[in-house]
């Protein structure tokens, strides 16, 4: 498969389901905003921080390394070994779930049962939901590797919507259930998600005339189950006949002293359990190259999880905020990261697959096919430019519209107090998050195993400094300190990745980091828009009623349109990239 074809598939994976995902997220957004009006801040803090951290930690530590390792390289491989490796996530998840569940129940502060009842049951069910989700890992990796575009979007979005609907129903009809509501909804979510993948592949494999089915390396559902150690024989011999021959020969030779030492063929037969007079070759249970790469990524994922969820670990283990403040922080965090989850994450996941397939890990840019290197450099430059523009747009306009957004979403509980300051700080963090997602997407796809191992030491230092900085800044500035510590963490990670990219392309004529530079005219447009919307917020938002609010929104819409128009005129290379790739995506959608 050529680099251009892989690029088209990656763009299709990232863009074709975006409208559908926006629709699903909008529905979920409305449902969550409705639910918030019936919950206490303490219950939100326990569910969204404490229990969700248990679930996300178990999931991340059990599968993240396996996903990155198994999605690297070509799809032309022995998929039985890859499937076997992926099924190891289940026992690993069980171990992590049991250990972390014990920590959550025995070592952490238990909430007042009069305020938040059924905490123990919640811990058990959230841990169980993580294990249930891991059952679908082979299906997920196979779908991602072969770029099944809409499966992931539809499965996850439907699961989230149904989870939200179930939560609304239980909150309205059985409010006294407390954590039972969210625990059952979480378990339903993971079970339905896995079921979507199973039903899809069962239906696909039952349609032999399907084009997608013909490209798959499997032909039946049992191929996605873990297999026992098998041997590949150069000559096809019936196994029962082979075993009988081996037993007969062994019974004769065992009566002759020293006979086995002079019978290599029969000795091979006895040891291997299969007979081939020429040779007997084994297929290992797993691909050891993938397994070693998984171990390298596992060490890295452990550290990355601390960096990603560091503020929740500090809140959970050091008790720097009460459960109510944790709830407000998490709501603002989820609202601020909505764009990151909606746009940046699908782009990062899709183009990680593109870079991993086009580039070879063990070679630098000068020792690879130059056409692939050039395509990868152009794509990386365009993605960096896109991430920078999206991040700057959110940062500039988010400062002026944070209070209005929180008031609409959660009422006075969010729009008063520290909520607006938190969301404004998070808008700056989103800018760094967008850039880091693209730089690390390329870095992790291009690094060799040795480079990944070396990077782990850097991540260890970052993890330690991040936790210390989070604790100190939170003591000084409250929950805003968590976001400032995250900004520091993301800035260091961006610098690390940019240094790797610069070294990678140092001997080549390509400079993809040029995507982080914007024209002075466009920067001026951003600055002017920020000033205008800031003045508009002072005079029109948010105590003057809805007519003033709508006028404030109209000012923002005008400034946004002017800024995007300036970007369209000045960033012609990015516009061409988006037109060509989205055009390829739409054409591919029509053909499938």
């Amino acid at each position: 498969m050529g680099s251009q074809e892989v690029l088209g598939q990656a763009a299709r994976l990232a863009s074709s389901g975006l409208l559908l995902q926006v629709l699903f997220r909008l529905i979920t957004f409305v449902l969550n905003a409705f639910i918030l009006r019936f919950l206490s801040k303490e219950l939100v803090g326990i569910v969204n921080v404490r229990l969700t951290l248990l679930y996300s930690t178990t999931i991340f530590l059990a599968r993240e390394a396996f996903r990155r390792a198994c999605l690297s390289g070509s799809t032309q491989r022995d998929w039985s070994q890859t499937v076997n490796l992926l099924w190891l996530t289940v026992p690993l998840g069980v171990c992590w779930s049991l250990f972390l569940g014990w920590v959550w129940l025995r070592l952490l502060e238990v909430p007042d049962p009069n305020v938040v009842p059924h905490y123990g049951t919640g811990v058990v069910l959230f841990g169980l939901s993580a294990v249930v989700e891991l059952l679908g890992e082979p299906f997920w990796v196979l779908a991602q590797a072969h770029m099944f575009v809409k499966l992931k979007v539809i499965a996850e979005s439907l699961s989230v919507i149904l989870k939200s609907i179930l939560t609304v129903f239980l909150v309205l009809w059985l409010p006294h259930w407390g954590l039972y509501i969210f625990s059952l909804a979480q378990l339903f979510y993971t079970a339905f998600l896995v079921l979507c993948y199973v039903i899809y592949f069962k239906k696909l494999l039952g349609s032999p005339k399907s084009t997608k089915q013909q490209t798959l390396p499997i032909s039946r559902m049992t191929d996605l189950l873990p297999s026992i150690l098998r041997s590949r024989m150069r000559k096809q011999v019936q196994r029962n006949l082979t075993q009988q021959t081996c037993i007969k020969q062994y019974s004769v030779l065992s009566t002759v002293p020293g006979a086995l030492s002079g019978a290599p063929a029969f000795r091979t037969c006895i040891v291997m359990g299969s007979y081939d007079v020429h040779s007997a070759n084994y297929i290992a249970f797993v691909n050891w190259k993938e397994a070693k790469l998984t171990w390298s990524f596992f060490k890295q994922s452990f550290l990355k999880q601390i960096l990603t969820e560091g503020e929740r670990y500090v809140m959970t283990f050091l008790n720097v905020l009460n459960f109510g403040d944790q709830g407000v922080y998490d709501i603002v965090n989820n609202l601020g990261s909505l764009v990151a989850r909606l746009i940046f994450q699908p782009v990062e996941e899709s183009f990680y697959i593109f870079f991993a397939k086009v580039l070879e890990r063990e070679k630098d840019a000068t020792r690879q096919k130059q056409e692939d290197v050039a395509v990868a450099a152009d794509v990386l430059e365009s993605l960096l430019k896109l991430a920078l523009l999206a991040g700057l747009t959110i940062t500039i306009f988010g400062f002026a519209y944070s209070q209005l957004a929180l008031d609409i979403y959660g009422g006075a509980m969010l729009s008063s107090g520290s909520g607006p300051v938190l969301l404004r700080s998070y808008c700056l963090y989103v800018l760094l998050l967008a850039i880091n997602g693209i730089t690390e997407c390329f870095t992790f796809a291009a690094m060799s195993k040795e480079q990944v191992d070396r990077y782990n030491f850097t991540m260890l230092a970052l993890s330690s400094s991040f936790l210390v900085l989070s604790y100190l800044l939170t003591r000084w500035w409250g929950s805003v300190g968590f976001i400032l510590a995250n900004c520091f963490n993301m800035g260091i990670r961006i610098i690390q990745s940019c240094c790797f990219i610069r070294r990678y392309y140092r001997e080549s004529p390509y400079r993809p980091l040029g995507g982080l530079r914007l024209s002075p005219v466009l920067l001026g447009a951003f600055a002017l828009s920020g000033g205008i919307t800031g003045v508009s917020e002072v005079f029109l938002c948010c105590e003057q009623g809805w007519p003033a609010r709508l006028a404030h929104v109209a000012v923002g819409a005008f400034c946004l349109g002017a800024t995007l128009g300036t970007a369209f005129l000045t960033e012609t290379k990015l516009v061409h990239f988006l037109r060509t790739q989205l055009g390829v995506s739409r054409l591919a959608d029509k053909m499938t």
Side-chain angles (χ1 to χ4, degrees), residues 366-486:
T366 59
R367 295 189 296 150
Q368 300 196 44
K369 188 177 179 181
Q370 291 305 297
E371 179 188 354
D372 293 345
V373 172
V375 171
D378 288 341
V379 170
L380 178 58
E381 181 179 355
S382 297
L383 290 178
L384 287 174
K385 185 82 70 177
L386 180 62
L388 181 59
L389 286 175
L392 271 177
T393 302
I394 293 169
T395 301
I396 297 298
F397 290 91
F399 268 76
Y401 291 88
S402 292
Q403 186 174 359
L404 179 60
L406 289 176
D407 191 62
I408 295 173
Y409 186 64
M413 182 181 75
L414 298 181
S415 60
S416 60
S418 62
V421 178
L422 278 173
L423 189 54
R424 291 188 183 104
S425 303
Y426 204 94
C427 289
L428 175 61
Y429 175 58
V430 167
L431 169 61
L432 300 175
L433 194 67
I435 298 173
N436 178 73
I438 299 302
T439 55
E440 284 195 347
C441 162
F442 178 88
T443 300
F444 293 151
M447 275 183 171
S448 65
K449 177 184 177 300
E450 292 73 20
Q451 289 171 324
V452 171
D453 290 335
R454 288 197 300 269
Y455 189 76
N456 289 338
F457 290 102
T458 304
M459 296 284 280
L460 178 61
L462 276 177
S463 302
S464 303
S465 61
F466 171 69
L467 293 177
V468 173
L469 191 62
S470 295
Y471 179 77
L472 293 177
L473 292 178
T474 305
R475 287 294 184 186
W476 296 336
W477 292 313
S479 52
V480 177
F482 284 124
I483 300 178
L484 297 178
N486 271 316

